[in-house]
Amino acid sequence: QVQLEESGGALVQAGDSLRLSCAASGRTITFYYMAWFRQAPGKEREFVAAITNSGSGTVYADSVKGRCTISRDNAKNTVYLQVNSLKPEDTAIYYCAARGGFSWNNYPKPDAYPYWGRGTQVTVAS
C-alpha cells in the first residue's frame, strides 16, 4: 500500500506560480496512475490533472489546461504539479491521489482513486 504526502502549498499573489510535490512511500509509484485533485471551501473535490505510470500520458481539467503541468520522477517516488498564472479561484486544498492499473477509465472521479494524501493548502490573493 502506498502512502502519499503533499507539500508546496502557500499563500501567493494572483499571477504567481507554485510547484506542488507529492512524495510517496511504502511502495514504488511505478505501479500507479497519479492524479491531483482540489477542494475549495463549500465545494466538491474536483479533478485537476492525471498522469500515467510512465509519465508518457497526461490529462488536465479544462479549468487549468495551459496553466498546469503534471509530472513525475519515479526514481524519486514523487509527483509534481506546476501551476502558473494563479488565480483567486485556484484557492483550495490540493490533494494527491493514486490508483493501480493501466486505464484512464473514470479518471476524473475521486472514487476511482483508493489512495490519498492529506492535502496542501494553496491560497491565492487578488
Side-chain angles (χ1 to χ4, degrees), residues 11-15 86-88 91 123-126:
L11 169 62
V12 298
Q13 297 296 313
L86 280 156
K87 307 174 182 180
T91 295
T123 304
V124 185
S126 57

Side-chain angles (χ1 to χ4, degrees), residues 33 35 37 47 50 97-99 106-107 109-116:
Y33 275 37
F37 286 76
F47 172 79
R99 57 183 286 188
N106 293 322
Y107 73 87
K109 298 183 178 180
D111 289 348
Y113 298 82
Y115 306 109
W116 291 84

